[in-house]
Amino acid sequence: EASCQVRNIPVRPFEDLIISYIGQIGEHPELIERTVKAANDTKNKAIKPLKAKLDQLNKHHAELAEAVQRCIETAKRKGSKNLADEFIQEGERLATEKRQIELEREKLKIDIRYKEKVVTDARIIAGTLKQFEQVIRKLSDEEQKEFIRLLVKEITVNHFDPEKDKDPSGTGVFKAKIRTRWYLVNISLYGNDLFTGVPGGGVK
């Protein structure tokens, strides 16, 4: 009762087709360059607020250090033991807060250093994509499904007649022959704005 005209598709050949297509993305230098730029932009955007927070913590840390020192100096000057004890207690409270700031500051520094060390290199990305097909085969079926779901937003499949229909055009659109039948496949990937100008090509 479904309106779908493509009643069934050979599973394994079709899966191989999709994995092969994703692997071929690494052969497009323009796409790799855009991927590198997008990744670096994302990395810089992630680091910027962390550095801003670190600056705030540094400022607060300096203020606490001064306050602790003032409490100590005031306690020394006061003649009354009760007053001196009050300033010492306040100094200890501020010192505890200062140590907490120091811990938070160190965690931020580690996070920033880690993000800064992430290497986004065109050569690495291209090489990884070219190895995509052989690497994904080493994953379990469930892991393969989860991984593909991270990349692929939608796949549309229609029958295709090479003698009657025009050759497809557009990013992610290609014709494919599986066994004895031709299909028109349209793959929509997450982050499709990176793929503008990358030809779909024909896959057989």
Side-chain angles (χ1 to χ4, degrees):
E1 296 178 5
S3 60
C4 178
Q5 295 179 354
V6 182
R7 291 296 175 181
N8 55 68
I9 300 172
V11 177
R12 182 55 65 183
F14 191 75
E15 288 177 349
D16 291 342
L17 177 74
I18 302 303
I19 290 172
S20 174
Y21 175 81
I22 295 172
Q24 288 175 21
I25 291 171
E27 298 176 7
H28 297 282
E30 183 184 352
L31 173 60
I32 300 301
E33 288 176 12
R34 292 183 186 184
T35 304
V36 170
K37 184 180 183 304
N40 283 328
D41 288 346
T42 300
K43 181 175 73 174
N44 292 334
K45 285 177 183 176
I47 291 174
K48 191 174 180 180
L50 294 179
K51 287 187 173 180
K53 188 175 181 181
L54 182 59
D55 289 340
Q56 290 177 349
L57 288 176
N58 285 334
K59 184 179 178 181
H60 190 32
H61 182 270
E63 291 170 350
L64 287 171
E66 289 180 12
V68 169
Q69 189 61 35
R70 281 198 303 271
C71 284
I72 294 171
E73 290 174 357
T74 305
K76 288 179 181 178
R77 289 198 304 268
K78 293 295 180 182
S80 168
K81 184 178 183 303
N82 290 336
L83 280 174
D85 287 346
E86 286 180 13
F87 280 102
I88 289 171
Q89 287 174 7
E90 178 63 12
E92 288 175 349
R93 186 191 68 79
L94 291 170
T96 299
E97 187 179 349
K98 178 170 162 281
R99 285 192 293 271
Q100 290 173 343
I101 293 291
E102 287 169 354
L103 284 173
E104 191 175 351
R105 192 171 61 170
E106 285 307 308
K107 288 178 183 177
L108 264 178
K109 286 180 180 178
I110 291 169
D111 198 9
I112 290 170
R113 282 198 297 269
Y114 173 77
K115 284 181 168 57
E116 285 178 337
K117 283 182 179 178
V118 174
V119 178
T120 309
D121 183 272
R123 185 169 41 84
I124 293 173
I125 292 176
T128 303
L129 284 170
K130 286 176 182 176
Q131 294 177 45
F132 175 80
E133 190 167 353
Q134 67 182 84
V135 170
I136 198 171
R137 295 298 184 197
K138 295 179 181 179
L139 303 176
S140 67
D141 288 346
E142 194 57 37
E143 287 172 329
Q144 287 184 37
K145 282 196 292 184
E146 289 301 316
F147 194 65
I148 293 297
R149 285 186 185 126
L150 292 173
L151 297 171
V152 179
K153 184 186 294 184
E154 183 181 65
I155 301 175
T156 305
V157 182
N158 290 292
H159 287 304
F160 182 80
D161 187 340
E163 295 181 2
K164 297 179 181 178
D165 301 326
K166 292 182 179 179
D167 278 348
S169 61
T171 301
V173 182
F174 59 90
K175 58 184 178 181
K177 187 177 183 181
I178 302 177
R179 294 180 181 167
T180 59
R181 304 204 66 171
W182 281 89
Y183 297 91
L184 183 63
V185 184
N186 186 351
I187 302 180
S188 176
L189 301 173
Y190 289 105
N192 250 13
D193 56 319
L194 293 173
F195 295 78
T196 305
V198 178
V203 181
K204 184 175 179 180

